[in-house]
Amino acid sequence: MPVRPTLVVVSGPPATGKTTLAHTLARQLGCPVIVRDEIKQGMVMNATAHRTGRDDPLNVPAMHAFFDTLGLLVRAGVTVVAEAAYQDRIWRPGLEPLTTLADLRILRCTAPTPTITERMTHRADADVHRAAHDDRRLLTDLSTGAYNPQAFADISLAAPTLLVDTSDGYRPGTAEIAAFARGH
């Protein structure tokens, strides 16, 4: 009888190092990584109706493509790393049906707000593809107090969860994170 695949979810506020960790972990585990922002960036390349921000008409199709891809992979028995800055209200309904197909493990990335601000500023300046994600608006919201990354709503599903401090490398380290993802 085959072993159930594992769905490793890398979650947390924007600019907490989720994507970097997800790619690193997927390489260590030898499995694919599905990144919501990369899906949306691929959609933006071909869209005429793109608008940055919460009201972007591509947000909902990107979300569906993300969860549909995860579902396809775990139904095929593939262990996968999934990464997005979704909060509980988006993650929970997308993940609940997948918990019958895969063992869920959650990595919650965290970093102090000044580190988040520094990273967001750097990537907004350095990565032309980030325009698809409206980092500039988030930076404005951070500076005015309209956005507080420390108020991020964690995934509320009952699943093993590991808090990862990404402020300077990873704490715990990548070996411990990979062991957690493998279920050890």
Side-chain angles (χ1 to χ4, degrees):
M1 179 130 171
V3 176
R4 286 166 42 107
T6 301
L7 175 55
V8 182
V9 172
V10 183
S11 181
T16 53
K18 295 179 307 301
T19 304
T20 303
L21 176 58
H23 282 286
T24 299
L25 182 60
R27 278 191 304 275
Q28 283 192 338
L29 297 176
C31 69
V33 60
I34 305 301
V35 177
R36 181 268 182 192
D37 284 359
E38 292 173 2
I39 290 171
K40 184 174 177 192
Q41 285 165 206
M43 290 177 154
V44 168
M45 291 174 64
N46 306 306
T48 57
H50 165 64
R51 291 187 307 269
T52 59
R54 293 182 193 122
D55 62 345
D56 185 343
L58 296 179
N59 287 340
V60 171
M63 177 189 68
H64 287 297
F66 177 76
F67 285 113
D68 289 350
T69 302
L70 295 179
L72 178 73
L73 290 170
V74 298
R75 275 192 279 295
V78 177
T79 287
V80 63
V81 175
E83 183 274 321
Y86 292 141
Q87 296 192 55
D88 181 63
R89 68 183 177 80
I90 304 292
W91 272 122
R92 190 174 12 87
L95 290 175
E96 278 177 327
L98 303 178
T99 61
T100 63
L101 305 168
D103 293 330
L104 181 63
R105 300 216 171 274
I106 300 169
L107 298 172
R108 166 57 156 90
C109 292
T110 184
T113 300
T115 301
I116 289 171
T117 302
E118 180 182 313
R119 288 175 180 169
M120 199 174 293
T121 301
H122 173 74
R123 73 184 190 189
D125 292 340
D127 185 352
V128 297
H129 303 293
R130 290 303 308 173
H133 309 294
D134 208 12
D135 286 337
R136 297 271 179 224
R137 181 194 51 80
L138 276 176
L139 284 166
T140 300
D141 289 351
L142 270 166
S143 68
T144 63
Y147 170 64
N148 176 3
Q150 306 311 318
F152 185 84
D154 291 333
I155 299 169
S156 65
L157 294 172
T161 301
L162 181 66
L163 187 65
V164 179
D165 180 343
T166 64
S167 56
D168 183 21
Y170 301 118
R171 283 186 311 276
T174 55
E176 293 90 351
I177 295 168
F180 169 82
R182 288 185 184 102
H184 303 141

